[in-house]
Amino acid sequence: MAAATKPNYARVGEQVFKEVEKVNAELFTLTYGAIVAQLLRDHEDVEAVNEQLEKMGYNIGLRLIEEFLARSGVPRCSDFKETAEVISKVGFKMFLGVTASVVNWDPKKNEYSLILEENPLIDFVEVPEQYQSLVYSNILCGVLRGALEMVQMSVECRFVRDVLKGDDASEIKVTLKAILAEEVPVGED
């Protein structure tokens, strides 16, 4: 019996991107910028803004995974490595119109980096000197954490490189903390 071949996730991402309803990229970027600016006005501490962006992303990720699963047609991933490929080629393409590279796996295959050569959230953005500790795109870390939690993966995500801070690309480090047990809701056994 032949082993099932895995789909070409780059092709799946392109196909889903063609079919999904689009939002004007400039409007999306400017709206996100307005949210970040408002958070900076509301909170004295830049670290508090970073936390709020991550929390917002987490709540978005909890809901976004349902749309991803419904529209992408991607079957359940067999392991964390395959999940990383699906995120980079299908998830990022579907929701942001870009793909990411998966690199720097640790020997146990529990940690990797997502490299974003392009990040549509940072178009038109310059971070003032007093906000250099701002992790402007931290909402992406929250989205990843929330979405992966819904598919029973507890992860930690953090930016380790950022184009807005002079790096050549944006890099998100994703670390698997635990595989969560699937829980059946009470009364649905």
Side-chain angles (χ1 to χ4, degrees), residues 3-9 12 75-79 81-83 85:
T5 59
K6 292 183 181 174
N8 178 329
Y9 292 122
V12 172
R76 185 179 195 98
C77 296
S78 60
D79 56 24
K81 187 171 184 178
E82 184 179 6
T83 302
E85 286 300 317

Side-chain angles (χ1 to χ4, degrees), residues 13-14 17 20 22 90-99 118 120:
E14 287 293 333
F17 183 69
V20 73
K22 313 276 186 309
V90 184
F92 273 94
K93 186 68 175 183
M94 183 175 172
F95 294 112
L96 292 176
V98 300
T99 57
E118 298 175 63

Side-chain angles (χ1 to χ4, degrees), residues 4 19 22-23 34 36 51 60 79-80 93 96 107 112 132 147 150 155-156 174-175 189:
E19 296 170 4
K22 313 276 186 309
V23 173
V36 174
E51 288 177 25
I60 292 168
D79 56 24
F80 192 53
K93 186 68 175 183
L96 292 176
Y112 63 89
Q132 286 304 302
M150 293 303 289
V155 299
E156 179 182 292
V174 181
T175 305
D189 44 5

